[in-house]
Amino acid sequence: MANQVIDYSKVKLGCLPPKLDTRTLRFSRYVSSALPKPPDATKWAGKTKPPWGMYLNDRIGCCTCSSAGHAIEVWSANATTEVQLPDAEILAAYMAISGYDPATGANDNGAVEIDVLNYWRHLGIGGHKIGGYAAVHPQAPLEVEEAIYYFGGCYIGVALPAAAQQQQAVWSVPKRVPWFQANSWRPGTWGGHAIFVYDYDRARQLFSFSTWGHEMKMTYRFFVHYVQEAYAVLSPDWFDGTKKAPNGFDLQALTDDLSRISGTQGDPLL
């Protein structure tokens, strides 16, 4: 959106620190060297229809669920017909996961991404379930590109610095060496935010995403410094019922691993 201005005092964060689970599958295990390398850029958002939904993230700290709504928008727009969930569905998921009470405002404390992913997989958000997820290394841009290219996006948690509130349209970090010494540039000094990154441009070193009703970008350098967790999410909305993802990604192998782990260690995604 050209000339956009986001009033950061009127939006909410709400991505709690990552929860470690050693059973979480690793994305790199499923990317074969035989697969074609990602192109220089993707344009998955090109098929979506503006405007992007706010999904209540200006009123409550539901970014972990709002970004799930953005993911469903992108996947469905590319596979079949774009789906924009009603705010009520985002609210219902956030209430169930966090314990938020809209009547009193109690427990509006945000949520953990893995808790959202587990809920999304088992119970669904707005009637849309995911098949599983795998952790992506947030400091490996090529792996992030692969997640975006093969799965239509990457679900991430960012420890935003307070200094990002001074930036519009693009989140970036200064190139001079002492930038990290300033308190305002330290990770998490603003807070945690969940985002669904749906496009990248390798030449310009930019990732694209939607948040708070606007399309924004962040530089690769910003991503590497501030993203704490990242996940490739396997959704029927993207695969449209096929056994292979675009460009031959082995969805069946991941499905088999999920089933095997579930049978030997209990449900790995619960």
Side-chain angles (χ1 to χ4, degrees), residues 34-146:
L35 292 176
K37 291 300 180 184
D40 292 338
T42 58
K43 296 181 179 179
W44 300 132
K47 291 188 177 181
T48 59
K49 297 178 181 178
W52 290 100
M54 178 67 77
Y55 291 132
L56 303 174
N57 203 200
D58 54 338
R59 294 162 42 195
I60 55 177
C62 60
C63 58
T64 50
C65 297
S66 301
S67 51
H70 293 139
I72 292 167
E73 283 187 67
V74 173
W75 292 330
S76 60
N78 281 275
T80 51
T81 302
E82 183 176 353
V83 173
Q84 291 191 356
L85 295 181
D87 287 350
E89 298 291 358
I90 301 298
L91 177 60
Y94 183 57
M95 290 170 61
I97 295 163
S98 69
Y100 170 64
D101 184 346
T104 64
N107 300 318
D108 184 15
N109 302 314
V112 177
E113 286 201 340
I114 279 186
D115 291 342
V116 174
L117 289 164
N118 293 338
Y119 180 91
W120 197 357
R121 178 175 181 244
H122 292 287
L123 298 174
I125 296 177
H128 295 254
K129 289 185 178 183
I130 59 173
Y133 60 89
V136 174
H137 197 311
Q139 279 73 54
L142 176 57
E143 197 169 311
V144 177
E145 289 178 0
E146 289 172 333

Side-chain angles (χ1 to χ4, degrees), residues 30-37 150 246-250:
Y30 304 96
V31 180
S32 167
S33 60
L35 292 176
K37 291 300 180 184
Y150 294 125
N247 299 302
F249 192 100
D250 198 342

Side-chain angles (χ1 to χ4, degrees), residues 208-222:
S208 299
F209 58 95
S210 170
T211 190
W212 302 312
H214 295 286
E215 179 170 88
M216 294 186 63
K217 299 181 187 299
M218 70 174 73
T219 65
Y220 278 33
R221 191 162 180 253
F222 187 97

Side-chain angles (χ1 to χ4, degrees), residues 235-246 249-252 255:
S235 171
D237 288 317
W238 177 250
F239 291 101
D240 198 20
T242 65
K243 295 298 183 181
K244 291 281 187 180
F249 192 100
D250 198 342
L251 175 62
Q252 189 60 51
T255 302

Side-chain angles (χ1 to χ4, degrees), residues 194-211:
I195 293 167
F196 183 71
V197 178
Y198 45 65
D199 279 321
Y200 67 84
D201 185 328
R202 191 180 304 141
R204 299 173 64 200
Q205 295 280 286
L206 291 173
F207 289 111
S208 299
F209 58 95
S210 170
T211 190

